[in-house]
Amino acid sequence: MATSSVSKGCFVFKPNFKKRKISVPIEEYFNQGKNASEDSKLRFETYQLIWQQMKSETERLQEELNKNLLDSLIEFLQTSHSGLWKNSKDWSCQIKLREIPTAALVLGVNVTDHDLTLRSLTEVLQNNVTPYVVSLQAKDCPDMKHFLQKLTSQLMGCKVDVQSKEKESVQVIQKNVHYSMDSLSAWYMSVTQKRDLKMPRRKRTSSQWQSPPVVLILKDMESFTTKVLQDFIIISSQHLHEFPLILIFGIATSPVVIHRLLPHAVSSLLCIELFQSLPCKEHLTTVLDKLLLTTQFPFKLSEKVLQILTNIFLYHDFSIQNFIKGLQLALLEHFYSQPLSVLCCNLPEAKRRIHFLSANQCENIRRLPSFRRYVEKQSSEKQVALLTSDKSLKEETQSLLENLHVYHTNYFLVLRCVHQFTSSLPKYPLGRQIRELYCMCLEKNIWDSEEYASVLQLLRLLAKDELMAMLQNCFKVFQSSSAKELGNTAKKIEEFLAQFQSLDETKEEEDTSQSQSKGLKKMDLYHLQKSLLEMKELRSTSKRQTKFEVIREQVVSFVDSLVREYLLPPDSQPLHETLYFSSAHTLRQHLNAAPRIALHTALNNPYHYLKNEALRSEEGCIPNVAPDICIAYKLHLECSRLINLVDWSEVYTLKGAIKPAKSGAE
Amino acid sequence: TSTLELKEDKMLKVQFVGDDDVLNHILDREGGPKIKKERAQLLVNTQKIIKKPENELQEDDQEVLKDQNYVEVLGQDVQESLKNGSAADGGNKVYPFQNRKHPEKMAKLASELAKTPRKTVSLNMKNVPEITVDIPQCSKGHSASDKSQLKNNDKSEFLSTAPRGLRKRLIVPRSHSDSESEYSASNSEDDEGITQEYEEDTNEDILSQKIQAQNRVVSAPVCRETPSKKMKREKTSHLVEEYFEAHSSSKVLTSDRTLQKLKRAKLDQQTLHNLLSKVSPSFSAELKQLNQQHEQLFHKWMLQLHLGFNIVLYGLGSKRDLLERFRTTMLQNCIHIVINGFFPGISVKSILNSVTEEVLDHMGTFRSVLDQLEWITNKFKEDSSLELFLLIHNLDSQMLRGDKTQQIIGQLSSLRNIYLIASIDHLNAPLMWDHAKQSLYNWLWYETTTYSHYTEETSYENSLLVKQSGSLPLSSLIHVLRSLTPNARGIFRLLIKYQLDNQDNPSYTGLCFQDFYQQCREAFLVNSDLTLRAQLTEFRDHKLIRTKKGTDGVEYLLIPVDNGILTDFLEKEEEEL
């Protein structure tokens, strides 16, 4: 069947044998893409397993991070609502009765993540507060009529309790053309009354919810038209006593926008309380912390890849969802392209899998650059054994993998510990966030960098209380982990702390002796300068270190030794290719593509795509054998905005092209 | 260097060349390279003076070279960073200012090239090597002239392409053209070098000299500054100037050559098609390799589609064939819809209709597109065994690029069991999607440059070089008129003549019926209002005329045929008479 026609633009193809085989299992595609690949099934399963784990972990994190926000929101809703129905004669309550309780929810500019937050909010509200939760988007409500229509239909649709009622209400919607606040409140009365009649028991148990409020979430407050919002607020404030409404504004920019959208007369009808969601950068830090800076997931990213993902996050969208998407793609690419990724799983499982590795896979291991480097360092007999016998290779691989895992446990501990030291230094030479430090450590030997040197320099200048705070934090980091390897490190930190403490007592004595000599007599300016100079010289010449300085030096060298021992870049480790995804290039191509550059290159430098020597040319000129479109483009560039087609095609013809008619078609 | 500068200024003042010399000089230059040696002797004394500037000039050159290095490094940097993406030139190449363009340049170039011994270009591949002789010359001349206008904008490119001598010449007048004479002296000295290099290439020389003259005018006011400073200033001022020149709404001179004047019979669609199909594409081996690379991705695409991503293809060339191949190899057993975005009548409604009616076999109607979307969404959410592939050619087409449409397609594609694979071609297509839509689409980008022709995509467009079947061609005009009475022909000729007389009047709306009647009466063609009306009905039936009611309620008559054809027709008629 052809897919072009002059009368139609859509062509549906349905296989005749309907549902013969719904779909080829996805593994098939994973498999067939690379014919010579090994263990593809196992790899795909591992991918899915790890991805599921990561996904649920991120969801859990998201929930956790939103928990505070949601809790405070719910509390607000409950109190505001109960206030509405107290019916007290109190003056302030009377005032409040006319105000619509409103929660302004500042969510940040990462619009794509809002949906998730608001969805979980809706869920929580429906479970805990009221069945009547409606969320509206600006694009659904261009005017008041649509607004009310949407509101009504969603409200009536979200009746959960009574089944029969639902059908009725559907009919009502279709008949009812005029939507008004009156009809809404009438509906509300009937529903709540029926509910009361039907379920007297429930009423008793949750008495304060005898008439549950209606929560209306405006997802994107900024894009609503001012008029609709104003009208709605004014009207609904009139009906507040019979239609208990609570508003939630989703705000992406800043709370000021409320006042910009609503004049004072309207905003005075609202009783606004502000809620701030967690900044997305912190969110990212947590996600990184829990997904990558941990031994829980064997999969790791190389420096370039991590850099790209964080850059997309920081410079493009601030969206956690997109970050996770990038992570997923990286994971997929890793398992798809690296046959040895089959070993990218938890240690016992990986050890088991090593036993079943095929001869081909063993060859693959031998071909890994990191492994070859490792072999070269071994003694000659061992080299022979590793290169010839699969059995010894497998044994060696097991121990290497084990080493790799140990390396990672230590790595992240030490990383966190070093981060404690570097994160509060002035000017943050190694970055404020742990991800920056991590990136640097991934890239190269960090102790070779200038930044690291300056960090040590700065550490040597720290005061005692700062240093002690850092040490204490470090101590906590080590204590929280169960790694045995670094047990004595924790002990050493403890020792340092004790030493500092003991310093306190001895220090006091010294202080008193020094302060006496420091007392300066009254003198004229000249003498003062002179004596100050002398003192300075004295200080610089007398290299006598105080006890504190000695210990500080020890601490610094201790940190340094930790870094040098444990924060080796991963490419120094044999078999790191199995766990690390390093093809930043593909990731960037698929996530952050530059179609403009691709077009430009294709037109200006056809050699980049068509590897023909005839097309190789200097920059800026196009060989006359280039594809017609390139020549036509180049000519087009050389003339003004108005192009005379005749001249154009004439020049084109003279430039050695063959078909004058062609340029017209373009 | 300021002292040096001062000295130089002094020395420059000492030097004096008479007006006649200057005149001679300029004339000589026009005369050609023959008398160069003589003149060099004549101006021996100036040589000494110029030496110093020469040194400085070299310094200057070096500085420029340094600049170039810097740019190169930058470019490399960009490339390095782009290695992760698609390797390409730096951003400065992709987003330059529009340089000042001479509208008549193309015409000039065309005529200039036409003067050079012209190779007859036929529809034959064999001629290509012959023509290549011609090409370097014209392209070089062209690029040089172009570059000199760009000057600072794109230094590296300029330096790499412009010949050395020319480069010098261009810098000299700018760095110290204090007086005319001095300027020409330095020029003459330079010319010596050039003539050795370009003895044979006079044509180009003249061209560049013209540009030089232009330069002189521009650079005259700014001259007493240190070169580096000036360079900087010129750089910024040039940027500014270029910006305003590019955006100025000054009247654009256009070349008045039209396709009509091209004495070439218009082809009809079929012949054009045949001609094009005869041409074998160049680089077919490389193109095939390119396509094979893309085809290897098919399995990966399927995998990624199944894992919740959607795929968008970009890059030069039609991606329709590629997607067709994907469809035929991978999707034979799946329900799928092919959507031609380039089809002029496509709409989101028709897409949704084909989903509901043909895929889901639903025979109802929907009140709105949003209802329909909701219904589809629910259907697909309920039945997880349902799978649908959407292939959209040109998602960025005129008809589909609207915000609402994109939103709806995005919502469709975000469903777990609807898989979308689409192609885009427009340069700014990614601007269609804001963050919200992008997250709906969940794109994975794939670059698939194919270099294949957009034949199918443009088949709904009209080419200017193809005869329009909608309008009346000459032959049918003659044919129809033959069958009419001589009086009717006379009436029609009157109308033609009137229309041709008014062809330069842009506000011409047609001939008023009353006037026309008057004219016809005077020519003894009709005797009453009614007979004229009867004739006009005849014409109208043959689509020879069109009537239009003016604002004053009067009928205006117009012949909806191209003026060129009408002229031809009149000529033919006259011949016959």
Side-chain angles (χ1 to χ4, degrees):
Chain A
M1 211 157 122
T3 54
S4 65
S5 143
V6 284
S7 59
K8 149 175 159 171
C10 293
F11 305 86
V12 179
F13 296 87
K14 271 173 130 175
N16 297 332
F17 32 91
K18 205 185 168 192
K19 290 184 182 173
R20 185 201 64 165
K21 198 174 161 194
I22 303 286
S23 66
V24 190
I26 312 170
E27 297 98 273
E28 293 282 299
Y29 299 118
F30 198 87
N31 184 15
Q32 284 175 6
K34 289 213 162 184
N35 289 325
S37 65
E38 299 286 328
D39 302 320
S40 61
K41 191 153 180 276
L42 200 56
R43 258 157 54 203
F44 185 67
E45 276 163 11
T46 328
Y47 157 75
Q48 286 207 310
L49 186 74
I50 295 185
W51 170 236
Q52 281 311 323
Q53 283 173 351
M54 280 185 159
K55 206 172 148 193
S56 55
E57 179 74 18
T58 47
E59 271 158 18
R60 200 183 58 75
L61 281 177
Q62 199 119 26
E63 240 164 64
E64 215 169 78
L65 291 171
N66 281 332
K67 197 169 177 297
N68 268 335
L69 177 75
L70 294 185
D71 282 351
S72 52
L73 248 176
I74 286 171
E75 198 184 335
F76 162 76
L77 291 180
Q78 282 172 345
T79 53
S80 64
H81 179 257
S82 60
L84 268 178
W85 294 91
K86 249 176 206 158
N87 273 340
S88 70
K89 300 242 160 24
D90 195 1
W91 183 74
S92 64
C93 274
Q94 291 276 330
I95 291 288
K96 251 194 171 169
L97 213 60
R98 318 221 87 232
E99 288 177 347
I100 308 172
T102 306
L105 200 56
V106 181
L107 291 166
V109 289
N110 47 337
V111 194
T112 38
D113 294 350
H114 291 181
D115 260 358
L116 220 64
T117 318
L118 289 177
R119 211 180 303 146
S120 61
L121 173 67
T122 318
E123 227 167 75
V124 171
L125 286 181
Q126 268 173 344
N127 291 338
N128 299 339
V129 183
T130 167
Y132 307 115
V133 182
V134 178
S135 51
L136 291 181
Q137 276 178 304
K139 61 171 179 285
D140 297 335
C141 325
D143 51 34
M144 199 60 197
K145 190 187 145 210
H146 281 93
F147 192 99
L148 282 177
Q149 191 179 337
K150 275 274 165 196
L151 176 63
T152 316
S153 62
Q154 279 204 38
L155 255 186
M156 295 184 176
C158 70
K159 272 291 304 158
V160 244
D161 311 18
V162 198
Q163 285 287 329
S164 60
K165 184 78 181 131
E166 216 168 290
K167 281 170 200 160
E168 267 174 54
S169 65
V170 170
Q171 282 166 356
V172 168
I173 294 170
Q174 259 136 24
K175 279 176 210 157
N176 229 354
V177 192
H178 300 289
Y179 299 97
S180 68
M181 230 30 216
D182 278 332
S183 64
L184 260 182
S185 51
W187 167 84
Y188 181 79
M189 288 297 262
S190 71
V191 169
T192 44
Q193 268 167 14
K194 262 193 189 170
R195 221 168 105 105
D196 289 351
L197 289 176
K198 275 199 171 179
M199 279 161 280
R201 273 168 293 123
R202 195 184 268 188
K203 182 187 154 194
R204 246 172 267 138
T205 51
S206 57
S207 55
Q208 87 248 41
W209 299 126
Q210 79 186 75
S211 44
V214 176
V215 177
L216 173 62
I217 303 174
L218 303 181
K219 280 185 180 172
D220 39 356
M221 161 93 172
E222 281 98 336
S223 31
F224 275 93
T225 33
T226 332
K227 198 165 176 312
V228 171
L229 267 185
Q230 286 178 14
D231 287 354
F232 178 74
I233 289 169
I234 292 169
I235 295 171
S236 55
S237 79
Q238 297 297 319
H239 289 266
L240 198 60
H241 54 283
E242 44 189 16
F243 188 72
L245 182 77
I246 298 180
L247 291 174
I248 296 180
F249 293 156
I251 297 172
T253 49
S254 86
V256 187
V257 90
I258 298 175
H259 296 289
R260 204 170 294 152
L261 279 175
L262 305 173
H264 179 72
V266 177
S267 61
S268 65
L269 295 172
L270 302 174
C271 170
I272 304 175
E273 199 159 323
L274 193 67
F275 296 89
Q276 186 100 34
S277 76
L278 201 70
C280 48
K281 264 160 94 177
E282 256 164 70
H283 201 146
L284 176 75
T285 313
T286 342
V287 167
L288 276 179
D289 206 51
K290 290 284 189 284
L291 290 187
L292 291 177
L293 301 178
T294 166
T295 47
Q296 192 190 343
F297 300 105
F299 174 70
K300 299 277 176 294
L301 298 178
S302 79
E303 185 261 337
K304 277 257 168 61
V305 176
L306 187 60
Q307 200 85 49
I308 282 178
L309 284 182
T310 46
N311 279 356
I312 290 178
F313 177 85
L314 292 174
Y315 298 119
H316 287 260
D317 49 14
F318 285 122
S319 163
I320 295 292
Q321 270 193 309
N322 271 348
F323 183 82
I324 301 290
K325 172 191 166 190
L327 201 62
Q328 185 192 0
L329 183 67
L331 191 69
L332 178 63
E333 281 288 331
H334 179 63
F335 279 96
Y336 187 80
S337 54
Q338 173 62 266
L340 284 172
S341 59
V342 70
L343 300 180
C344 182
C345 54
N346 58 28
L347 189 57
E349 176 67 22
K351 277 182 170 175
R352 203 181 58 78
R353 283 181 189 180
I354 288 173
H355 280 299
F356 301 109
L357 284 186
S358 65
N360 252 340
Q361 285 282 50
C362 290
E363 247 349 275
N364 280 336
I365 293 181
R366 290 192 186 110
R367 255 181 245 134
L368 287 181
S370 67
F371 186 75
R372 273 159 62 173
R373 252 176 280 143
Y374 171 75
V375 169
E376 276 160 26
K377 281 180 204 151
Q378 304 303 312
S379 63
S380 55
E381 301 107 65
K382 203 170 179 192
Q383 276 185 6
V384 173
L386 284 178
L387 292 179
T388 50
S389 142
D390 279 359
K391 191 159 171 281
S392 59
L393 176 81
K394 281 178 182 174
E395 274 165 19
E396 191 65 26
T397 313
Q398 275 189 350
S399 73
L400 283 177
L401 264 189
E402 205 163 331
N403 285 347
L404 200 58
H405 279 255
V406 170
Y407 159 79
H408 276 135
T409 11
N410 293 340
Y411 190 94
F412 293 122
L413 267 180
V414 173
L415 190 74
R416 275 170 224 275
C417 166
V418 173
H419 177 64
Q420 295 297 341
F421 281 101
T422 59
S423 60
S424 52
L425 292 177
K427 283 191 186 167
Y428 311 102
L430 284 177
R432 197 189 304 204
Q433 304 284 347
I434 196 166
R435 59 161 191 271
E436 295 165 72
L437 181 67
Y438 184 48
C439 269
M440 283 187 183
C441 293
L442 282 179
E443 194 190 356
K444 56 183 179 192
N445 289 336
I446 192 169
W447 53 88
D448 291 336
S449 66
E450 272 173 46
E451 289 91 349
Y452 182 74
S454 72
V455 161
L456 288 188
Q457 210 85 61
L458 285 168
L459 280 180
R460 286 197 186 97
L461 297 174
L462 281 180
K464 197 183 76 177
D465 42 351
E466 287 173 306
L467 208 57
M468 272 179 76
M470 285 176 184
L471 279 173
Q472 236 129 27
N473 283 336
C474 274
F475 188 60
K476 272 181 213 151
V477 168
F478 280 113
Q479 263 188 333
S480 65
S481 78
S482 54
K484 290 133 208 156
E485 301 272 320
L486 291 164
N488 44 5
T489 326
K491 226 177 270 167
K492 201 150 184 201
I493 294 177
E494 219 172 358
E495 269 169 36
F496 280 129
L497 279 171
Q499 279 178 339
F500 276 124
Q501 234 121 43
S502 67
L503 257 184
D504 276 346
E505 292 125 38
T506 52
K507 193 93 179 258
E508 273 165 31
E509 293 159 25
E510 275 178 40
D511 276 357
T512 47
S513 60
Q514 275 188 352
S515 62
Q516 276 178 346
S517 63
K518 264 182 196 163
L520 291 170
K521 290 168 277 172
K522 259 191 183 173
M523 55 182 90
D524 56 30
L525 193 64
Y526 174 74
H527 281 283
L528 181 68
Q529 276 181 339
K530 205 174 166 189
S531 57
L532 280 175
L533 266 177
E534 273 167 16
M535 274 168 71
K536 199 177 165 193
E537 263 174 47
L538 200 82
R539 220 175 285 162
S540 59
T541 46
S542 72
K543 276 277 179 180
R544 193 176 61 93
Q545 283 177 318
T546 62
K547 224 173 182 181
F548 164 66
E549 279 167 337
V550 174
I551 304 177
R552 187 168 64 185
E553 195 57 45
Q554 278 174 2
V555 171
V556 171
S557 62
F558 162 71
V559 171
D560 190 35
S561 69
L562 270 186
V563 168
R564 279 166 199 268
E565 190 172 350
Y566 295 110
L567 289 189
L568 293 159
D571 18 330
S572 66
Q573 304 297 314
L575 294 186
H576 73 269
E577 288 96 335
T578 56
L579 306 185
Y580 280 83
F581 174 69
S582 55
S583 168
H585 154 79
T586 35
L587 205 61
R588 192 191 192 104
Q589 220 174 25
H590 297 327
L591 289 180
N592 198 10
R596 210 182 169 110
I597 290 180
L599 281 180
H600 186 263
T601 321
L603 287 171
N604 281 316
N605 185 15
Y607 180 72
H608 186 262
Y609 293 98
L610 306 172
K611 302 286 179 203
N612 188 314
E613 284 307 311
L615 287 175
R616 200 190 265 285
S617 68
E618 267 180 79
E619 199 180 344
C621 357
I622 292 259
N624 58 314
V625 287
D628 299 339
I629 193 166
C630 301
I631 296 176
Y633 173 72
K634 195 76 188 163
L635 285 176
H636 147 82
L637 273 191
E638 290 181 359
C639 49
S640 69
R641 270 172 287 178
L642 294 175
I643 297 171
N644 186 313
L645 202 60
V646 179
D647 294 341
W648 189 23
S649 41
E650 198 145 321
V651 177
Y652 179 81
T653 326
L654 290 164
K655 287 239 167 176
I658 311 103
K659 299 155 287 178
K662 249 229 83 208
S663 53
E666 280 147 18
Chain B
T1 54
S2 62
T3 52
L4 201 142
E5 192 73 16
L6 270 173
K7 259 187 220 163
E8 188 190 308
D9 267 1
K10 268 179 203 163
M11 284 201 273
L12 286 176
K13 271 172 201 160
V14 170
Q15 210 266 325
F16 177 80
V17 181
D19 277 359
D20 291 357
D21 281 6
V22 176
L23 210 69
N24 268 340
H25 201 70
I26 293 166
L27 286 176
D28 279 351
R29 276 159 42 68
E30 303 286 56
K34 282 174 241 161
I35 333 166
K36 285 264 156 77
K37 252 184 197 163
E38 225 180 282
R39 194 162 24 78
Q41 280 166 353
L42 226 157
L43 293 169
V44 155
N45 53 344
T46 59
Q47 294 270 353
K48 230 188 264 169
I49 297 144
I50 288 147
K51 240 173 206 158
K52 222 168 217 164
E54 184 67 32
N55 281 342
E56 210 211 333
L57 201 151
Q58 266 164 9
E59 258 170 54
D60 212 68
D61 246 1
Q62 273 170 1
E63 209 170 292
V64 171
L65 277 171
K66 258 185 233 157
D67 245 18
Q68 188 192 357
N69 280 342
Y70 179 65
V71 169
E72 256 169 32
V73 168
L74 259 185
Q76 268 174 7
D77 229 32
V78 171
Q79 269 198 341
E80 203 128 57
S81 68
L82 276 173
K83 219 177 272 169
N84 302 324
S86 52
D89 320 59
N92 58 334
K93 299 280 159 50
V94 188
Y95 308 101
F97 272 133
Q98 268 191 307
N99 56 323
R100 190 181 166 196
K101 287 156 176 174
H102 289 289
E104 69 278 17
K105 199 165 81 184
M106 194 54 85
K108 210 162 74 187
L109 193 76
S111 55
E112 227 163 83
L113 285 169
K115 267 185 246 161
T116 60
R118 184 172 184 154
K119 266 78 183 182
T120 47
V121 181
S122 65
L123 299 169
N124 201 337
M125 283 286 274
K126 278 174 202 161
N127 274 12
V128 172
E130 257 179 272
I131 295 156
T132 45
V133 188
D134 212 18
I135 277 67
Q137 200 186 25
C138 66
S139 74
K140 210 185 266 170
H142 199 78
S143 68
S145 67
D146 202 35
K147 289 320 145 21
S148 61
Q149 250 132 33
L150 271 168
K151 250 182 271 168
N152 294 312
N153 189 23
D154 215 340
K155 190 141 272 162
S156 63
E157 196 179 298
F158 158 51
L159 287 181
S160 62
T161 48
R164 202 184 63 89
L166 181 61
R167 181 169 80 223
K168 249 188 216 165
R169 271 189 296 167
L170 284 175
I171 291 163
V172 169
R174 271 191 290 135
S175 48
H176 47 83
S177 62
D178 210 358
S179 65
E180 273 305 289
S181 58
E182 194 275 330
Y183 161 65
S184 50
S186 73
N187 238 329
S188 72
E189 196 233 23
D190 265 342
D191 269 7
E192 278 183 315
I194 295 156
T195 43
Q196 280 155 12
E197 283 175 42
Y198 287 104
E199 206 91 59
E200 74 290 346
D201 198 339
T202 46
N203 190 11
E204 195 239 339
D205 226 76
I206 289 164
L207 202 81
S208 57
Q209 273 164 13
K210 267 187 215 157
I211 294 144
Q212 227 171 358
Q214 279 175 3
N215 278 341
R216 203 182 314 171
V217 177
V218 174
S219 57
V222 255
C223 48
R224 293 220 181 184
E225 279 171 283
T226 55
S228 65
K229 217 184 198 175
K230 199 171 14 166
M231 294 271 277
K232 230 178 251 171
R233 245 185 63 175
E234 265 187 23
K235 206 173 234 171
T236 52
S237 70
H238 262 277
L239 280 179
V240 174
E241 272 167 28
E242 269 162 23
Y243 178 83
F244 283 110
E245 269 167 14
H247 290 260
S248 67
S249 55
S250 64
K251 225 181 161 214
V252 189
L253 281 172
T254 49
S255 155
D256 59 347
R257 290 144 57 96
T258 57
L259 283 175
Q260 239 99 54
K261 289 181 186 165
L262 208 65
K263 290 289 177 200
R264 178 172 299 179
K266 279 198 177 182
L267 317 156
D268 61 23
Q269 189 80 52
Q270 193 57 46
T271 26
L272 177 73
H273 197 79
N274 288 341
L275 280 176
L276 285 181
S277 62
K278 268 183 214 156
V279 179
S280 63
S282 44
F283 307 113
S284 47
E286 283 82 3
L287 286 174
K288 206 174 158 200
Q289 199 189 347
L290 209 60
N291 271 324
Q292 270 168 358
Q293 274 173 25
H294 301 323
E295 275 167 38
Q296 277 164 10
L297 293 170
F298 283 176
H299 276 283
K300 205 170 172 185
W301 288 353
M302 281 304 271
L303 177 72
Q304 285 168 338
L305 285 172
H306 276 286
L307 291 177
F309 297 105
N310 292 311
I311 286 175
V312 60
L313 309 179
Y314 64 92
L316 183 70
S318 168
K319 290 160 280 293
R320 194 172 168 277
D321 290 340
L322 186 71
L323 279 180
E324 272 300 290
R325 252 172 286 139
F326 174 70
R327 187 178 76 80
T328 45
T329 50
M330 306 303 291
L331 299 182
Q332 278 313 312
N333 295 332
C334 315
I335 308 175
H336 56 275
I337 305 182
V338 177
I339 296 155
N340 291 340
F342 50 84
F343 178 68
I346 195 86
S347 70
V348 72
K349 182 88 185 151
S350 59
I351 296 174
L352 291 181
N353 276 343
S354 55
V355 174
T356 52
E357 283 165 20
E358 296 187 57
V359 176
L360 300 173
D361 296 321
H362 175 80
M363 279 307 143
T365 49
F366 296 91
R367 276 194 307 169
S368 73
V369 181
L370 286 177
D371 283 347
Q372 200 169 1
L373 179 71
E374 205 174 297
W375 190 82
I376 293 172
T377 315
N378 287 334
K379 257 283 192 280
F380 273 93
K381 273 185 182 155
E382 277 166 24
D383 187 1
S384 60
S385 68
L386 211 55
E387 283 188 324
L388 174 67
F389 285 84
L390 293 178
L391 276 90
I392 304 185
H393 302 293
N394 290 87
L395 185 58
D396 55 346
S397 69
Q398 205 78 47
M399 296 304 293
L400 294 182
R401 65 173 67 145
D403 189 56
K404 279 225 170 92
T405 312
Q406 289 295 328
Q407 177 75 30
I408 287 168
I409 298 176
Q411 264 164 353
L412 266 189
S413 72
S414 68
L415 290 176
R416 210 179 45 77
N417 35 9
I418 290 188
Y419 312 113
L420 172 66
I421 178 163
S423 67
I424 55 169
D425 279 299
H426 196 279
L427 192 62
N428 292 326
L431 298 182
M432 283 192 298
W433 306 308
D434 55 14
H435 282 316
K437 284 199 201 72
Q438 263 179 9
S439 77
L440 278 179
Y441 276 117
N442 203 14
W443 287 129
L444 283 188
W445 298 75
Y446 275 90
E447 185 186 332
T448 52
T449 302
T450 60
Y451 282 106
S452 44
H453 303 299
Y454 291 99
T455 320
E456 190 64 42
E457 284 90 332
T458 53
S459 62
Y460 297 101
E461 308 286 331
N462 290 321
S463 170
L464 284 174
L465 297 173
V466 173
K467 214 155 35 178
Q468 301 303 315
S469 54
S471 67
L472 216 50
L474 186 60
S475 58
S476 58
L477 195 65
I478 293 170
H479 189 73
V480 170
L481 283 199
R482 285 267 165 74
S483 63
L484 296 175
T485 60
N487 267 12
R489 260 185 271 169
I491 293 169
F492 195 68
R493 206 175 306 133
L494 265 181
L495 195 57
I496 290 177
K497 274 184 184 149
Y498 189 79
Q499 184 156 336
L500 287 179
D501 288 344
N502 282 296
Q503 65 179 333
D504 293 331
N505 180 6
S507 59
Y508 173 73
T509 50
L511 178 55
C512 163
F513 179 78
Q514 286 306 324
D515 292 350
F516 191 35
Y517 174 57
Q518 208 59 44
Q519 284 183 23
C520 290
R521 264 187 85 98
E522 280 162 17
F524 300 113
L525 289 171
V526 292
N527 53 6
S528 77
D529 195 330
L530 277 179
T531 41
L532 179 60
R533 282 208 185 274
Q535 293 291 358
L536 290 184
T537 319
E538 181 85 6
F539 294 152
R540 206 175 295 141
D541 289 346
H542 285 105
K543 295 198 172 120
L544 288 178
I545 61 164
R546 208 191 291 150
T547 51
K548 226 194 284 174
K549 274 256 163 68
T551 44
D552 45 356
V554 185
E555 254 186 304
Y556 287 97
L557 305 169
L558 198 71
I559 307 176
V561 177
D562 203 59
N563 284 335
I565 293 178
L566 289 183
T567 329
D568 288 350
F569 173 72
L570 275 189
E571 276 172 18
K572 283 238 168 95
E573 284 277 275
E574 243 115 77
E575 274 171 29
E576 276 177 33
L577 289 173

